Amino acid sequence: MNDFEKQIAAKSGDGLQSQKIETLQVNLGLLCNQRCNHCHLGASPDRKEVMEWPIMELVLEACKRAHCQLVDLTGGAPELNPNFRRFVRALCREGHRVQVRTNLTVLLEPGMEQMPEFLRRHRIRLVASMPCYLKENVCAQRGPGVYEKSVAAIKRLNALGYGYESFLPLTLVYNPGGPFLPPPQSALEEDYRRELARRFGIVFTHLLTITNMPLGRFRTELARQNKEQDYLQLLRMSFNPQTIGGLMCRRQLSVGWDGTLFDCDFNLALGLPVNHGAPDHIRFFKIGDLQRRRIVTGEHCFGCTAGLGSSCGGALV
Ligand code: SF4
Ligand code: SF4
């Protein structure tokens, strides 16, 4: 039993167990138009890994059997998968509620001119990275020019009704610019709302705060600055038992670009598939064996339970 499991067991008397799968998160690949220095997956324009159509067909079949409330498409930049539109159309035809995690700047790439209209037509919910309302903080994490392009993309989405219409939610995502925990989500949301409206006249639906996980490029950078152990200690010392009930792995399953099944996107980044007897590939998807599974954990899990908690859906308490 690792230290995280010991903490969980001290509160619940057992390891971490999943419940009903409400969300199927599908990673369409590691190809991305950006190369952010906090990316836990190491995505970049050089990555070749993308989900192929035969795996997407298996995902479609699994979605049908799982009756999930939400299919959450992520990457890399999911829009760059050559079969992205075909897959989204197929999911919508089956009646699934679909959400796309977009980095915004991809919407300005060549060949993406029609993508915002495509997303709108299919009523796709959008979750968009915008780690700060200040240019210097965004560019420091995500590269020069990303701030201006992100604002331009939000303006385009606003013009189509995103952030205004209830069926076109545009959720923004904040993550800290360094090895510290996010501030309270609702107060920061107000700051974002005020500053983005004042500076650019843009609107959004909600703000999510997400803790930087000690993984991928973020961890490499911490190690380079000799801050890795201090950050791990901060996460560990900030353990908040009230977050346990809301941990996303308890109601979510992640499908990797090659069809491997993971308890979450962070385990995907670490190459830690589901285990403890549950089927670990979409080919063997069996809802009964997956929805009450024992979750694979590690020291990185303290990133989800620190402070107000963190998940792909934001703070937990
Ligand atoms: S953080 Fe997102 S936008 Fe940045 S490189 Fe990773 S996948 Fe791409
Ligand atoms: S890192 Fe993944 S497995 Fe660990 S607590 Fe967070 S969501 Fe659950």
mmCIF file of all heavy atoms in Angstrom, residues 61-103:
data_model
loop_
_atom_site.group_PDB
_atom_site.id
_atom_site.type_symbol
_atom_site.label_atom_id
_atom_site.label_comp_id
_atom_site.label_asym_id
_atom_site.label_seq_id
_atom_site.Cartn_x
_atom_site.Cartn_y
_atom_site.Cartn_z
ATOM 1 N N GLU A 61 -18.879 1.789 -29.399
ATOM 2 C CA GLU A 61 -19.600 0.627 -28.888
ATOM 3 C C GLU A 61 -19.652 0.662 -27.351
ATOM 4 O O GLU A 61 -20.701 0.416 -26.740
ATOM 5 C CB GLU A 61 -18.877 -0.636 -29.391
ATOM 6 C CG GLU A 61 -19.598 -1.939 -29.147
ATOM 7 C CD GLU A 61 -21.025 -1.951 -29.650
ATOM 8 O OE1 GLU A 61 -21.287 -1.395 -30.727
ATOM 9 O OE2 GLU A 61 -21.897 -2.506 -28.920
ATOM 10 N N ALA A 62 -18.512 1.022 -26.749
ATOM 11 C CA ALA A 62 -18.452 1.095 -25.274
ATOM 12 C C ALA A 62 -19.388 2.180 -24.752
ATOM 13 O O ALA A 62 -20.076 1.992 -23.741
ATOM 14 C CB ALA A 62 -17.021 1.363 -24.831
ATOM 15 N N CYS A 63 -19.433 3.315 -25.451
ATOM 16 C CA CYS A 63 -20.306 4.422 -25.012
ATOM 17 C C CYS A 63 -21.765 3.958 -25.001
ATOM 18 O O CYS A 63 -22.542 4.314 -24.112
ATOM 19 C CB CYS A 63 -20.174 5.621 -25.951
ATOM 20 S SG CYS A 63 -18.628 6.484 -25.784
ATOM 21 N N LYS A 64 -22.099 3.193 -26.019
ATOM 22 C CA LYS A 64 -23.481 2.708 -26.124
ATOM 23 C C LYS A 64 -23.805 1.824 -24.911
ATOM 24 O O LYS A 64 -24.855 1.938 -24.301
ATOM 25 C CB LYS A 64 -23.608 1.898 -27.420
ATOM 26 C CG LYS A 64 -25.001 1.924 -28.024
ATOM 27 C CD LYS A 64 -25.120 1.039 -29.236
ATOM 28 C CE LYS A 64 -24.393 1.587 -30.448
ATOM 29 N NZ LYS A 64 -24.587 0.771 -31.652
ATOM 30 N N ARG A 65 -22.850 0.954 -24.551
ATOM 31 C CA ARG A 65 -23.107 0.016 -23.463
ATOM 32 C C ARG A 65 -23.046 0.685 -22.086
ATOM 33 O O ARG A 65 -23.710 0.253 -21.156
ATOM 34 C CB ARG A 65 -22.086 -1.136 -23.525
ATOM 35 C CG ARG A 65 -22.548 -2.223 -24.482
ATOM 36 C CD ARG A 65 -21.610 -3.386 -24.450
ATOM 37 N NE ARG A 65 -20.504 -3.206 -25.382
ATOM 38 C CZ ARG A 65 -19.276 -3.689 -25.211
ATOM 39 N NH1 ARG A 65 -18.993 -4.382 -24.144
ATOM 40 N NH2 ARG A 65 -18.355 -3.491 -26.115
ATOM 41 N N ALA A 66 -22.209 1.738 -21.972
ATOM 42 C CA ALA A 66 -21.987 2.326 -20.644
ATOM 43 C C ALA A 66 -23.076 3.316 -20.239
ATOM 44 O O ALA A 66 -23.222 3.631 -19.074
ATOM 45 C CB ALA A 66 -20.632 3.028 -20.618
ATOM 46 N N HIS A 67 -23.838 3.838 -21.210
ATOM 47 C CA HIS A 67 -24.851 4.876 -20.919
ATOM 48 C C HIS A 67 -24.243 6.008 -20.095
ATOM 49 O O HIS A 67 -24.802 6.416 -19.079
ATOM 50 C CB HIS A 67 -26.049 4.281 -20.165
ATOM 51 C CG HIS A 67 -26.744 3.203 -20.918
ATOM 52 N ND1 HIS A 67 -27.433 3.431 -22.095
ATOM 53 C CD2 HIS A 67 -26.842 1.878 -20.684
ATOM 54 C CE1 HIS A 67 -27.925 2.293 -22.540
ATOM 55 N NE2 HIS A 67 -27.582 1.330 -21.712
ATOM 56 N N CYS A 68 -23.082 6.490 -20.516
ATOM 57 C CA CYS A 68 -22.418 7.573 -19.771
ATOM 58 C C CYS A 68 -23.197 8.868 -19.929
ATOM 59 O O CYS A 68 -23.861 9.085 -20.939
ATOM 60 C CB CYS A 68 -21.018 7.823 -20.320
ATOM 61 S SG CYS A 68 -19.956 6.446 -20.098
ATOM 62 N N GLN A 69 -23.051 9.746 -18.937
ATOM 63 C CA GLN A 69 -23.697 11.062 -19.038
ATOM 64 C C GLN A 69 -22.927 11.979 -19.975
ATOM 65 O O GLN A 69 -23.484 12.930 -20.519
ATOM 66 C CB GLN A 69 -23.763 11.706 -17.653
ATOM 67 C CG GLN A 69 -24.724 10.997 -16.722
ATOM 68 C CD GLN A 69 -24.674 11.597 -15.325
ATOM 69 O OE1 GLN A 69 -24.087 12.646 -15.103
ATOM 70 N NE2 GLN A 69 -25.288 10.902 -14.386
ATOM 71 N N LEU A 70 -21.616 11.723 -20.121
ATOM 72 C CA LEU A 70 -20.784 12.648 -20.891
ATOM 73 C C LEU A 70 -19.624 11.902 -21.537
ATOM 74 O O LEU A 70 -18.997 11.048 -20.907
ATOM 75 C CB LEU A 70 -20.221 13.717 -19.936
ATOM 76 C CG LEU A 70 -19.375 14.816 -20.550
ATOM 77 C CD1 LEU A 70 -20.226 15.737 -21.436
ATOM 78 C CD2 LEU A 70 -18.689 15.645 -19.462
ATOM 79 N N VAL A 71 -19.338 12.252 -22.803
ATOM 80 C CA VAL A 71 -18.115 11.782 -23.463
ATOM 81 C C VAL A 71 -17.207 13.003 -23.607
ATOM 82 O O VAL A 71 -17.583 13.993 -24.240
ATOM 83 C CB VAL A 71 -18.413 11.146 -24.841
ATOM 84 C CG1 VAL A 71 -17.126 10.620 -25.463
ATOM 85 C CG2 VAL A 71 -19.439 10.023 -24.706
ATOM 86 N N ASP A 72 -16.052 12.937 -22.987
ATOM 87 C CA ASP A 72 -15.153 14.094 -22.836
ATOM 88 C C ASP A 72 -13.918 13.856 -23.715
ATOM 89 O O ASP A 72 -13.113 12.976 -23.422
ATOM 90 C CB ASP A 72 -14.772 14.161 -21.344
ATOM 91 C CG ASP A 72 -13.981 15.392 -20.984
ATOM 92 O OD1 ASP A 72 -13.988 16.363 -21.757
ATOM 93 O OD2 ASP A 72 -13.358 15.383 -19.905
ATOM 94 N N LEU A 73 -13.785 14.636 -24.789
ATOM 95 C CA LEU A 73 -12.689 14.404 -25.738
ATOM 96 C C LEU A 73 -11.509 15.309 -25.416
ATOM 97 O O LEU A 73 -11.648 16.528 -25.304
ATOM 98 C CB LEU A 73 -13.170 14.669 -27.168
ATOM 99 C CG LEU A 73 -14.407 13.879 -27.616
ATOM 100 C CD1 LEU A 73 -14.731 14.173 -29.075
ATOM 101 C CD2 LEU A 73 -14.201 12.380 -27.403
ATOM 102 N N THR A 74 -10.332 14.689 -25.290
ATOM 103 C CA THR A 74 -9.146 15.453 -24.933
ATOM 104 C C THR A 74 -7.966 15.005 -25.772
ATOM 105 O O THR A 74 -8.078 14.171 -26.650
ATOM 106 C CB THR A 74 -8.894 15.316 -23.401
ATOM 107 O OG1 THR A 74 -7.814 16.154 -23.033
ATOM 108 C CG2 THR A 74 -8.612 13.906 -22.972
ATOM 109 N N GLY A 75 -6.797 15.609 -25.511
ATOM 110 C CA GLY A 75 -5.603 15.250 -26.284
ATOM 111 C C GLY A 75 -4.374 15.510 -25.423
ATOM 112 O O GLY A 75 -4.457 15.356 -24.198
ATOM 113 N N GLY A 76 -3.323 16.038 -26.027
ATOM 114 C CA GLY A 76 -3.091 16.820 -27.225
ATOM 115 C C GLY A 76 -4.234 17.788 -27.574
ATOM 116 O O GLY A 76 -4.995 18.199 -26.722
ATOM 117 N N ALA A 77 -4.248 18.132 -28.827
ATOM 118 C CA ALA A 77 -5.354 18.938 -29.334
ATOM 119 C C ALA A 77 -6.278 17.968 -30.075
ATOM 120 O O ALA A 77 -5.944 17.525 -31.178
ATOM 121 C CB ALA A 77 -4.844 20.021 -30.274
ATOM 122 N N PRO A 78 -7.418 17.612 -29.473
ATOM 123 C CA PRO A 78 -8.261 16.566 -30.086
ATOM 124 C C PRO A 78 -8.703 16.918 -31.499
ATOM 125 O O PRO A 78 -8.871 16.034 -32.341
ATOM 126 C CB PRO A 78 -9.449 16.460 -29.125
ATOM 127 C CG PRO A 78 -9.383 17.658 -28.234
ATOM 128 C CD PRO A 78 -7.958 18.104 -28.205
ATOM 129 N N GLU A 79 -8.843 18.228 -31.767
ATOM 130 C CA GLU A 79 -9.319 18.660 -33.092
ATOM 131 C C GLU A 79 -8.344 18.265 -34.195
ATOM 132 O O GLU A 79 -8.708 18.231 -35.375
ATOM 133 C CB GLU A 79 -9.506 20.181 -33.125
ATOM 134 C CG GLU A 79 -10.483 20.741 -32.109
ATOM 135 C CD GLU A 79 -9.797 21.195 -30.816
ATOM 136 O OE1 GLU A 79 -8.791 20.569 -30.410
ATOM 137 O OE2 GLU A 79 -10.264 22.167 -30.199
ATOM 138 N N LEU A 80 -7.060 17.993 -33.841
ATOM 139 C CA LEU A 80 -6.063 17.660 -34.871
ATOM 140 C C LEU A 80 -6.109 16.190 -35.275
ATOM 141 O O LEU A 80 -5.453 15.801 -36.234
ATOM 142 C CB LEU A 80 -4.649 18.002 -34.367
ATOM 143 C CG LEU A 80 -4.352 19.491 -34.176
ATOM 144 C CD1 LEU A 80 -2.938 19.682 -33.653
ATOM 145 C CD2 LEU A 80 -4.545 20.261 -35.483
ATOM 146 N N ASN A 81 -6.868 15.385 -34.556
ATOM 147 C CA ASN A 81 -7.013 13.986 -34.977
ATOM 148 C C ASN A 81 -7.731 13.974 -36.326
ATOM 149 O O ASN A 81 -8.800 14.584 -36.466
ATOM 150 C CB ASN A 81 -7.820 13.204 -33.931
ATOM 151 C CG ASN A 81 -7.912 11.729 -34.279
ATOM 152 O OD1 ASN A 81 -8.423 11.359 -35.328
ATOM 153 N ND2 ASN A 81 -7.431 10.892 -33.394
ATOM 154 N N PRO A 82 -7.180 13.294 -37.337
ATOM 155 C CA PRO A 82 -7.786 13.327 -38.672
ATOM 156 C C PRO A 82 -9.243 12.845 -38.687
ATOM 157 O O PRO A 82 -10.010 13.217 -39.575
ATOM 158 C CB PRO A 82 -6.908 12.379 -39.493
ATOM 159 C CG PRO A 82 -5.622 12.266 -38.741
ATOM 160 C CD PRO A 82 -5.937 12.508 -37.292
ATOM 161 N N ASN A 83 -9.641 12.013 -37.719
ATOM 162 C CA ASN A 83 -11.015 11.502 -37.683
ATOM 163 C C ASN A 83 -11.889 12.225 -36.648
ATOM 164 O O ASN A 83 -12.959 11.719 -36.290
ATOM 165 C CB ASN A 83 -11.000 10.000 -37.364
ATOM 166 C CG ASN A 83 -10.573 9.193 -38.571
ATOM 167 O OD1 ASN A 83 -11.163 9.310 -39.649
ATOM 168 N ND2 ASN A 83 -9.528 8.399 -38.408
ATOM 169 N N PHE A 84 -11.438 13.379 -36.197
ATOM 170 C CA PHE A 84 -12.168 14.083 -35.133
ATOM 171 C C PHE A 84 -13.636 14.346 -35.520
ATOM 172 O O PHE A 84 -14.566 14.006 -34.793
ATOM 173 C CB PHE A 84 -11.464 15.412 -34.817
ATOM 174 C CG PHE A 84 -12.206 16.277 -33.844
ATOM 175 C CD1 PHE A 84 -12.172 16.021 -32.484
ATOM 176 C CD2 PHE A 84 -12.964 17.358 -34.287
ATOM 177 C CE1 PHE A 84 -12.860 16.824 -31.583
ATOM 178 C CE2 PHE A 84 -13.659 18.166 -33.398
ATOM 179 C CZ PHE A 84 -13.608 17.890 -32.039
ATOM 180 N N ARG A 85 -13.842 14.941 -36.701
ATOM 181 C CA ARG A 85 -15.228 15.314 -37.067
ATOM 182 C C ARG A 85 -16.099 14.077 -37.265
ATOM 183 O O ARG A 85 -17.249 14.053 -36.836
ATOM 184 C CB ARG A 85 -15.218 16.189 -38.328
ATOM 185 C CG ARG A 85 -14.632 17.568 -38.055
ATOM 186 C CD ARG A 85 -14.504 18.384 -39.332
ATOM 187 N NE ARG A 85 -13.268 19.160 -39.286
ATOM 188 C CZ ARG A 85 -13.136 20.437 -39.602
ATOM 189 N NH1 ARG A 85 -14.173 21.109 -40.034
ATOM 190 N NH2 ARG A 85 -11.989 21.049 -39.528
ATOM 191 N N ARG A 86 -15.511 13.056 -37.906
ATOM 192 C CA ARG A 86 -16.275 11.817 -38.120
ATOM 193 C C ARG A 86 -16.689 11.201 -36.783
ATOM 194 O O ARG A 86 -17.823 10.738 -36.609
ATOM 195 C CB ARG A 86 -15.383 10.847 -38.914
ATOM 196 C CG ARG A 86 -16.043 9.561 -39.298
ATOM 197 C CD ARG A 86 -15.054 8.682 -40.027
ATOM 198 N NE ARG A 86 -15.637 7.414 -40.417
ATOM 199 C CZ ARG A 86 -14.937 6.385 -40.857
ATOM 200 N NH1 ARG A 86 -13.623 6.478 -40.990
ATOM 201 N NH2 ARG A 86 -15.533 5.260 -41.190
ATOM 202 N N PHE A 87 -15.779 11.223 -35.822
ATOM 203 C CA PHE A 87 -16.032 10.642 -34.507
ATOM 204 C C PHE A 87 -17.109 11.441 -33.764
ATOM 205 O O PHE A 87 -18.050 10.874 -33.189
ATOM 206 C CB PHE A 87 -14.718 10.624 -33.725
ATOM 207 C CG PHE A 87 -14.768 9.878 -32.421
ATOM 208 C CD1 PHE A 87 -15.359 8.621 -32.320
ATOM 209 C CD2 PHE A 87 -14.191 10.414 -31.270
ATOM 210 C CE1 PHE A 87 -15.392 7.927 -31.114
ATOM 211 C CE2 PHE A 87 -14.207 9.732 -30.068
ATOM 212 C CZ PHE A 87 -14.816 8.494 -29.983
ATOM 213 N N VAL A 88 -16.980 12.765 -33.805
ATOM 214 C CA VAL A 88 -17.964 13.620 -33.119
ATOM 215 C C VAL A 88 -19.349 13.411 -33.740
ATOM 216 O O VAL A 88 -20.356 13.279 -33.022
ATOM 217 C CB VAL A 88 -17.535 15.106 -33.187
ATOM 218 C CG1 VAL A 88 -18.678 16.023 -32.757
ATOM 219 C CG2 VAL A 88 -16.313 15.332 -32.302
ATOM 220 N N ARG A 89 -19.388 13.369 -35.067
ATOM 221 C CA ARG A 89 -20.693 13.159 -35.730
ATOM 222 C C ARG A 89 -21.305 11.837 -35.276
ATOM 223 O O ARG A 89 -22.502 11.763 -34.976
ATOM 224 C CB ARG A 89 -20.523 13.177 -37.258
ATOM 225 C CG ARG A 89 -20.561 14.580 -37.859
ATOM 226 C CD ARG A 89 -20.767 14.537 -39.368
ATOM 227 N NE ARG A 89 -19.614 13.954 -40.034
ATOM 228 C CZ ARG A 89 -18.601 14.662 -40.549
ATOM 229 N NH1 ARG A 89 -18.614 15.969 -40.500
ATOM 230 N NH2 ARG A 89 -17.590 14.057 -41.134
ATOM 231 N N ALA A 90 -20.474 10.785 -35.216
ATOM 232 C CA ALA A 90 -20.985 9.465 -34.824
ATOM 233 C C ALA A 90 -21.478 9.483 -33.373
ATOM 234 O O ALA A 90 -22.539 8.918 -33.061
ATOM 235 C CB ALA A 90 -19.891 8.414 -35.011
ATOM 236 N N LEU A 91 -20.744 10.137 -32.487
ATOM 237 C CA LEU A 91 -21.169 10.219 -31.079
ATOM 238 C C LEU A 91 -22.502 10.960 -30.972
ATOM 239 O O LEU A 91 -23.403 10.544 -30.228
ATOM 240 C CB LEU A 91 -20.107 10.951 -30.243
ATOM 241 C CG LEU A 91 -18.826 10.171 -29.921
ATOM 242 C CD1 LEU A 91 -17.737 11.114 -29.406
ATOM 243 C CD2 LEU A 91 -19.097 9.070 -28.894
ATOM 244 N N CYS A 92 -22.630 12.055 -31.716
ATOM 245 C CA CYS A 92 -23.863 12.851 -31.648
ATOM 246 C C CYS A 92 -25.039 12.068 -32.235
ATOM 247 O O CYS A 92 -26.157 12.138 -31.714
ATOM 248 C CB CYS A 92 -23.681 14.189 -32.371
ATOM 249 S SG CYS A 92 -22.537 15.267 -31.496
ATOM 250 N N ARG A 93 -24.774 11.339 -33.319
ATOM 251 C CA ARG A 93 -25.847 10.519 -33.915
ATOM 252 C C ARG A 93 -26.395 9.521 -32.906
ATOM 253 O O ARG A 93 -27.572 9.217 -32.883
ATOM 254 C CB ARG A 93 -25.294 9.761 -35.125
ATOM 255 C CG ARG A 93 -25.886 10.184 -36.443
ATOM 256 C CD ARG A 93 -25.597 9.253 -37.599
ATOM 257 N NE ARG A 93 -24.350 8.546 -37.555
ATOM 258 C CZ ARG A 93 -23.204 8.967 -38.116
ATOM 259 N NH1 ARG A 93 -23.158 10.113 -38.740
ATOM 260 N NH2 ARG A 93 -22.121 8.223 -38.046
ATOM 261 N N GLU A 94 -25.507 9.018 -32.039
ATOM 262 C CA GLU A 94 -25.923 8.043 -31.016
ATOM 263 C C GLU A 94 -26.590 8.729 -29.821
ATOM 264 O O GLU A 94 -26.972 8.071 -28.858
ATOM 265 C CB GLU A 94 -24.710 7.245 -30.522
ATOM 266 C CG GLU A 94 -24.071 6.352 -31.568
ATOM 267 C CD GLU A 94 -24.920 5.130 -31.897
ATOM 268 O OE1 GLU A 94 -25.795 4.786 -31.084
ATOM 269 O OE2 GLU A 94 -24.709 4.547 -32.971
ATOM 270 N N GLY A 95 -26.632 10.066 -29.836
ATOM 271 C CA GLY A 95 -27.322 10.801 -28.773
ATOM 272 C C GLY A 95 -26.472 11.102 -27.553
ATOM 273 O O GLY A 95 -27.012 11.456 -26.496
ATOM 274 N N HIS A 96 -25.129 10.960 -27.656
ATOM 275 C CA HIS A 96 -24.282 11.234 -26.496
ATOM 276 C C HIS A 96 -24.062 12.730 -26.306
ATOM 277 O O HIS A 96 -23.992 13.483 -27.280
ATOM 278 C CB HIS A 96 -22.926 10.541 -26.645
ATOM 279 C CG HIS A 96 -23.038 9.063 -26.744
ATOM 280 N ND1 HIS A 96 -23.536 8.302 -25.714
ATOM 281 C CD2 HIS A 96 -22.744 8.202 -27.745
ATOM 282 C CE1 HIS A 96 -23.540 7.028 -26.084
ATOM 283 N NE2 HIS A 96 -23.069 6.944 -27.302
ATOM 284 N N ARG A 97 -23.930 13.130 -25.067
ATOM 285 C CA ARG A 97 -23.552 14.505 -24.754
ATOM 286 C C ARG A 97 -22.021 14.567 -24.850
ATOM 287 O O ARG A 97 -21.327 13.780 -24.203
ATOM 288 C CB ARG A 97 -24.020 14.860 -23.339
ATOM 289 C CG ARG A 97 -24.043 16.344 -23.065
ATOM 290 C CD ARG A 97 -24.965 16.621 -21.895
ATOM 291 N NE ARG A 97 -24.424 16.060 -20.680
ATOM 292 C CZ ARG A 97 -24.192 16.738 -19.566
ATOM 293 N NH1 ARG A 97 -24.461 18.012 -19.499
ATOM 294 N NH2 ARG A 97 -23.722 16.156 -18.495
ATOM 295 N N VAL A 98 -21.508 15.478 -25.692
ATOM 296 C CA VAL A 98 -20.073 15.482 -25.993
ATOM 297 C C VAL A 98 -19.438 16.792 -25.522
ATOM 298 O O VAL A 98 -20.002 17.873 -25.723
ATOM 299 C CB VAL A 98 -19.841 15.303 -27.514
ATOM 300 C CG1 VAL A 98 -18.346 15.317 -27.837
ATOM 301 C CG2 VAL A 98 -20.483 14.010 -28.003
ATOM 302 N N GLN A 99 -18.273 16.660 -24.940
ATOM 303 C CA GLN A 99 -17.498 17.827 -24.499
ATOM 304 C C GLN A 99 -16.103 17.736 -25.124
ATOM 305 O O GLN A 99 -15.536 16.651 -25.205
ATOM 306 C CB GLN A 99 -17.381 17.782 -22.979
ATOM 307 C CG GLN A 99 -16.523 18.844 -22.363
ATOM 308 C CD GLN A 99 -16.684 18.838 -20.849
ATOM 309 O OE1 GLN A 99 -17.681 19.339 -20.324
ATOM 310 N NE2 GLN A 99 -15.727 18.264 -20.148
ATOM 311 N N VAL A 100 -15.568 18.866 -25.557
ATOM 312 C CA VAL A 100 -14.219 18.886 -26.131
ATOM 313 C C VAL A 100 -13.343 19.805 -25.288
ATOM 314 O O VAL A 100 -13.737 20.931 -24.971
ATOM 315 C CB VAL A 100 -14.255 19.365 -27.601
ATOM 316 C CG1 VAL A 100 -12.846 19.633 -28.121
ATOM 317 C CG2 VAL A 100 -14.949 18.322 -28.478
ATOM 318 N N ARG A 101 -12.155 19.321 -24.941
ATOM 319 C CA ARG A 101 -11.164 20.148 -24.244
ATOM 320 C C ARG A 101 -10.268 20.763 -25.310
ATOM 321 O O ARG A 101 -9.497 20.061 -25.955
ATOM 322 C CB ARG A 101 -10.355 19.299 -23.255
ATOM 323 C CG ARG A 101 -11.220 18.835 -22.119
ATOM 324 C CD ARG A 101 -10.533 18.052 -21.043
ATOM 325 N NE ARG A 101 -11.574 17.669 -20.108
ATOM 326 C CZ ARG A 101 -11.897 18.365 -19.021
ATOM 327 N NH1 ARG A 101 -11.235 19.458 -18.710
ATOM 328 N NH2 ARG A 101 -12.881 17.958 -18.241
ATOM 329 N N THR A 102 -10.423 22.050 -25.508
ATOM 330 C CA THR A 102 -9.697 22.735 -26.572
ATOM 331 C C THR A 102 -8.637 23.661 -25.980
ATOM 332 O O THR A 102 -8.851 24.255 -24.924
ATOM 333 C CB THR A 102 -10.667 23.540 -27.462
ATOM 334 O OG1 THR A 102 -9.908 24.168 -28.503
ATOM 335 C CG2 THR A 102 -11.443 24.606 -26.701
ATOM 336 N N ASN A 103 -7.524 23.796 -26.708
ATOM 337 C CA ASN A 103 -6.514 24.763 -26.245
ATOM 338 C C ASN A 103 -6.761 26.133 -26.855
ATOM 339 O O ASN A 103 -5.941 27.039 -26.716
ATOM 340 C CB ASN A 103 -5.097 24.255 -26.546
ATOM 341 C CG ASN A 103 -4.787 24.186 -28.028
ATOM 342 O OD1 ASN A 103 -5.436 24.815 -28.859
ATOM 343 N ND2 ASN A 103 -3.769 23.418 -28.380
#
